[in-house]
Amino acid sequence: MTHAPANSTAWKKQAAKALAGTGVYASRPVHANQAAPALVAEALRRDEGRLSVDGAFMVQTGVHTGRSVQDKFVVDEASVHADIWWGKVNQPMPADRFNTIKHRMQAYLQGQELFTQDLYAGADPDHRVRVRLVTTQAWNALFARNMFLRPPEADLATFQPDYVILHAPLFHTDPAIDGVRSSTTIALSFEQKMILIAGSEYAGEVKKSIFTVMNWVLPAKGVMPMHCSANVGADGDVALFFGLSGTGKTTLSSDPDRRLIGDDEHGWGPDGTFNFEGGCYAKVINLSQAAEPEIWAASNRFGSVLENVVGDRHGKLDLTDDSLTENTRSCYPVEFIPNVDLSGRGGQPRNVFMLTCDAFGVLPPISRLTPAQAMYHFLSGYTAQVAGTEKGMGREPNATFSTCFAHPFLPRRPEVYGRMFADLIARHGATCWLVNTGWSGGPFGTGERMSIQHTRALLRAALDGSLTSVAFHKDPFFGLAIPEHVPGIPDDVLDPRKSWADKAAYDKMAKHLIARFEQNFAGFEAGVGDDVKAVAIRAAA
């Protein structure tokens, strides 16, 4: 399309087909469904970034190095109003305001050189969403092509999008004209099936907008959407890994002895588990080639996209450099991981792991959960941010709770997802575990980070069933069932209080975290049953 004359009949037909359903009309070249080599060449031609020494495309995203949470809106439409979980995450936007921004963006895009990608979200054909992305940047088109599922060439001839993303990272909304908070706006209309992303180059906005769509669409079809990774063993046993950023979800699911189903987003329904995506979006700050060889190799090759990763003038990477952001990212197709199930599908999960990076150092490295405890911890979605990794944090760790491990992406009320989770656990008998990948022997700054070798050994014991046969004892602070002895793991590692030299300091820190759990539980206590209330973590009366 880039070589045909702009006024030729063939060019106009191709452009019209590539932009069908978007409301955008082409006046400049439109690059439709280009593969990685062409997109990298275009990105280099347009000076959007540079290559690393190993050929990955390096890009800086400017002021936005993470999601702009305060600038996310859902259009308040009659057909969806009663079912949206309105609040700070799902801020309502009047339909006329959305239309004003949409028309201004369409006019802007009409004057730009454009890149389009037609992609699937959802490996199960019965539950997939067809997505058409229109963007002004070649590298963002590559990001989307890496992240989502690429349809067979034959499917593209008749592709009709279910949802359209208008992506204009250099177009700034105007609060005075558009009635929004800032120059950045992410707005989603479920009636119009359109997403507007303006004023942010951070590619995670594209990924997570579609995750929000899946969180809206699937519950109505009896499928639970999940913010988790998944892998499968040789005998077909599926494991799920829930966890927020920095908990090790990507790392632990990339297991050389198990096939990866997917890195971050999945559905769980009557036919089992399926990946929403066709790629991985790994956090790579301090990434170790020795500890995480699969992710390291995937990030150091042509076709990957590196966001805000620092390198020298030759493109040699420094994965320890957080001068641009602590949230450095690598985006690559799942096939870059050597041991991956390219079908993106698996059976019913046998084990469910909820990962937390406890920077207070008081939770055990692994504990077995009852179904009621699993529901409680699923709705809690606890982890801890470490001082120094987020702007504005103080010296102490900060307890973070994200409902269903996906609070920013839930358009429906938490109890909708919670009920589905409890029902699926009960129906299929999955064993649930809480895994702490954070600190032991003391909090951040005093103790040490959990050994990834120990964590992997504990996960293997849970996955092969040997952990279920050992003796457990109940932790007096959090009510968790802790294994007393696991071969190859020091006993004082299994019980966090034993790992602290100052037992009184442990008790004080545990009570501090208990108070945070209790405070968070007050926000969803009314929506759970008596069994969950009975196992809630509370301070002693």
Side-chain angles (χ1 to χ4, degrees):
M1 292 180 64
T2 58
H3 301 293
N7 59 355
S8 72
T9 301
W11 184 90
K12 290 179 180 178
K13 286 183 178 180
Q14 288 176 317
K17 181 178 183 298
L19 296 171
T22 69
V24 178
Y25 300 92
S27 64
R28 298 186 64 190
V30 179
H31 308 265
N33 294 314
Q34 288 185 326
L39 290 171
V40 171
E42 291 290 347
L44 290 171
R45 175 182 68 85
R46 293 159 54 85
D47 199 26
E48 295 176 0
R50 62 192 179 110
L51 294 180
S52 75
V53 70
D54 292 309
F57 191 77
M58 302 172 64
V59 65
Q60 295 183 16
T61 62
V63 65
H64 292 290
T65 58
R67 290 178 296 102
S68 189
V69 179
Q70 292 179 291
D71 296 304
K72 177 186 173 185
F73 300 90
V74 175
V75 181
D76 191 354
E77 297 154 321
S79 62
V80 302
H81 176 84
D83 295 316
I84 298 292
W85 184 29
W86 299 111
K88 291 183 178 179
V89 170
N90 299 302
Q91 301 178 89
M93 173 178 280
D96 59 348
R97 188 173 301 167
F98 178 87
N99 289 331
T100 295
I101 300 171
K102 178 184 70 174
H103 293 148
R104 295 208 315 117
M105 286 183 66
Q106 288 168 333
Y108 168 83
L109 291 169
Q110 183 168 320
Q112 305 298 312
E113 184 175 8
L114 299 175
F115 298 84
T116 67
Q117 289 286 321
D118 293 336
L119 303 160
Y120 292 144
D124 186 336
D126 292 334
H127 302 300
R128 69 174 37 139
V129 170
R130 295 166 295 186
V131 179
R132 174 162 289 162
L133 170 74
V134 180
T135 180
T136 57
Q137 293 184 330
W139 82 263
N140 266 292
L142 177 59
F143 172 91
R145 188 173 181 86
N146 283 353
M147 281 311 310
F148 297 108
L149 295 158
R150 297 161 291 283
E153 193 70 27
D155 290 7
L156 294 176
T158 57
F159 190 94
Q160 297 291 329
D162 298 312
Y163 276 79
V164 167
I165 304 174
L166 299 185
H167 183 253
L170 302 182
F171 172 85
H172 291 167
T173 48
D174 185 338
I177 297 173
D178 302 311
V180 291
R181 190 188 74 94
S182 74
S183 61
T184 299
T185 299
I186 300 94
L188 166 59
S189 167
F190 287 118
E191 278 192 4
Q192 296 189 43
K193 296 186 175 181
M194 181 171 284
I195 300 161
L196 309 178
I197 301 175
S200 174
E201 294 185 73
Y202 178 66
E205 298 286 13
V206 173
K207 167 186 162 68
K208 291 305 186 184
S209 291
I210 293 300
F211 185 42
T212 302
V213 168
M214 299 299 276
N215 276 311
W216 173 256
V217 170
L218 292 185
K221 302 174 71 175
V223 175
M224 180 183 168
M226 304 176 295
H227 184 205
C228 70
S229 57
N231 63 26
V232 60
D235 66 348
D237 64 300
V238 171
L240 305 180
F241 300 80
F242 289 91
L244 303 177
S245 177
T247 59
K249 176 165 54 67
T250 299
T251 298
L252 294 173
S253 59
S254 297
D255 186 332
D257 297 322
R258 297 172 64 83
R259 286 175 291 125
L260 181 72
I261 297 173
D263 166 66
D264 194 51
E265 302 171 4
H266 291 81
W268 183 1
D271 297 324
T273 309
F274 63 94
N275 191 6
F276 292 170
E277 300 178 312
C280 301
Y281 193 39
K283 194 170 182 179
V284 293
I285 191 71
N286 297 319
L287 181 72
S288 163
Q289 184 179 9
E292 302 161 277
E294 294 87 3
I295 299 171
W296 192 93
S299 302
N300 285 270
R301 59 179 288 184
F302 181 84
S304 294
V305 175
L306 301 178
E307 274 189 312
N308 301 308
V309 174
V310 176
D312 66 16
R313 65 189 183 89
H314 301 294
K316 183 179 180 181
L317 305 180
D318 181 357
L319 297 176
T320 67
D321 191 328
D322 62 357
S323 58
L324 295 177
T325 177
E326 189 266 344
N327 187 36
T328 58
R329 292 280 178 168
S330 171
C331 168
Y332 49 86
V334 290
E335 56 263 32
F336 282 14
I337 298 293
N339 200 22
V340 63
D341 189 327
L342 292 177
S343 74
R345 302 180 69 177
Q348 299 296 343
R350 190 180 300 174
N351 286 279
V352 174
F353 299 97
M354 300 184 201
L355 309 177
T356 178
C357 177
D358 177 30
F360 298 99
V362 294
L363 291 179
I366 195 166
S367 52
R368 186 173 59 193
L369 303 175
T370 67
Q373 285 177 317
M375 176 74 160
Y376 172 83
H377 284 281
F378 177 70
L379 289 172
S380 297
Y382 163 70
T383 194
Q385 294 174 320
V386 176
T389 63
E390 299 290 340
K391 290 182 179 179
M393 287 187 60
R395 296 174 59 86
E396 298 299 322
N398 180 39
T400 299
F401 297 90
S402 182
T403 307
C404 309
F405 296 92
H407 186 176
F409 322 115
L410 302 181
R412 299 179 185 271
R413 293 178 180 84
E415 53 265 31
V416 172
Y417 309 98
R419 283 194 296 266
M420 295 188 79
F421 180 74
D423 179 64
L424 287 164
I425 293 294
R427 191 186 315 166
H428 299 293
T431 303
C432 298
W433 309 87
L434 183 66
V435 176
N436 175 22
T437 62
W439 272 257
S440 180
F444 170 76
T446 302
E448 295 182 356
R449 188 77 188 260
M450 291 282 184
S451 161
I452 190 170
Q453 288 78 15
H454 286 164
T455 301
R456 287 195 184 279
L458 291 169
L459 290 180
R460 282 195 294 271
L463 290 165
D464 67 21
S466 61
L467 194 55
T468 59
S469 61
V470 306
F472 285 75
H473 69 272
K474 187 176 181 179
D475 156 64
F477 288 92
F478 301 96
L480 298 168
I482 302 174
E484 294 185 358
H485 178 71
V486 178
I489 308 296
D491 290 347
D492 62 352
V493 170
L494 295 172
D495 191 326
R497 192 172 188 271
K498 292 180 181 178
S499 70
W500 283 52
D502 186 341
K503 304 298 191 273
Y506 172 89
D507 296 347
K508 181 179 179 181
M509 189 65 77
K511 291 174 182 177
H512 171 78
L513 183 56
I514 287 168
R516 304 285 78 75
F517 267 99
E518 189 170 30
Q519 182 182 19
N520 181 69
F521 182 58
F524 63 83
E525 183 173 6
V528 302
D530 291 341
D531 58 336
V532 177
K533 293 176 183 177
V535 300
I537 296 171
R538 304 179 191 271

